[in-house]
């Protein structure tokens, strides 16, 4: 099996177990936030991965970029699963406040931008491969030697 898939499942299980424990801690640490602030958490989640990856690319740390990509994905999976379990266990109680959705907003923002970046990367690689294949073909057909 793929190592990344096994890690993602393990991190999701850890998030499901930790969600109800982390929820009271987040509510105690964060000031009371409104529903509009959840969009700020989503924006922070979408900005953090590309900014970090661009900084690493500027320094030509390409092996670190692949590791950071995996770490961002695993953290996003943890945040989504922790937020989902916190909401599940706290539904209908006083813990269900806008801050209950902070985990999910951060995680969904990161997953959304990582998916977008992955699609852009695959598209640029396909374009490059198509360009290389078209430049490798001869422009004129070879002369027919049998006649």
């Amino acid at each position: 099996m793929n190592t990344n898939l096994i890690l993602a499942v393990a991190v999701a299980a850890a998030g499901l177990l930790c969600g109800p424990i982390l929820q009271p801690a987040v509510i105690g640490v964060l000031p009371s936030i409104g529903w509009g602030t959840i969009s700020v958490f989503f924006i922070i989640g979408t900005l953090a991965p590309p900014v970090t990856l661009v900084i690493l690319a500027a320094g030509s740390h390409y092996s670190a970029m692949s590791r950071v990509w995996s770490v961002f994905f695993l953290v996003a999976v943890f945040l989504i699963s922790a937020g989902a379990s916190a909401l599940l266990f706290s539904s209908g109680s006083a813990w269900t406040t806008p801050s209950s959705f902070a985990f999910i907003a951060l995680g969904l923002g990161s997953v959304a931008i990582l998916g977008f970046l992955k699609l852009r990367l695959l598209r640029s690689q396909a374009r490059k491969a198509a360009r290389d294949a078209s430049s490798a073909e001869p422009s004129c057909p070879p002369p027919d030697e049998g006649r």
Side-chain angles (χ1 to χ4, degrees):
M1 233 201 229
N2 191 354
T3 308
N4 290 336
L5 179 64
I6 293 171
L7 279 173
V9 169
V11 166
L16 288 172
L17 292 174
C18 293
I21 298 166
L22 293 176
Q23 184 64 26
V26 168
I27 291 175
V29 170
L30 289 177
S32 63
I33 60 174
W35 288 103
T37 311
I38 298 302
S39 62
V40 173
F41 278 99
F42 183 81
I43 291 169
I44 290 170
T46 58
L47 292 178
V51 168
T52 306
L53 293 171
V54 164
I55 290 170
L56 289 172
S60 299
H61 301 291
Y62 300 114
S63 62
M65 282 177 61
S66 66
R67 281 185 254 131
V68 167
W69 188 289
S70 298
V71 167
F72 270 119
F73 176 73
L74 292 174
V75 168
V77 167
F78 177 82
L79 289 171
I80 291 171
S81 61
S85 80
L87 283 174
L88 179 72
F89 285 110
S90 69
S91 61
S93 70
W95 297 114
T96 306
T97 61
S99 62
S100 302
F101 295 91
F103 290 133
I104 295 175
L106 283 169
L108 285 178
S110 294
V111 166
I113 196 67
L114 287 174
F116 175 75
L117 291 173
K118 185 70 169 182
L119 288 175
R120 294 289 296 174
L121 181 65
L122 291 174
R123 187 174 177 188
S124 69
Q125 287 175 344
R127 282 183 183 167
K128 182 180 177 191
R131 262 195 323 265
D132 292 345
S134 68
S135 66
E137 295 175 5
S139 59
C140 300
D144 193 13
E145 295 176 12
R147 293 185 199 185

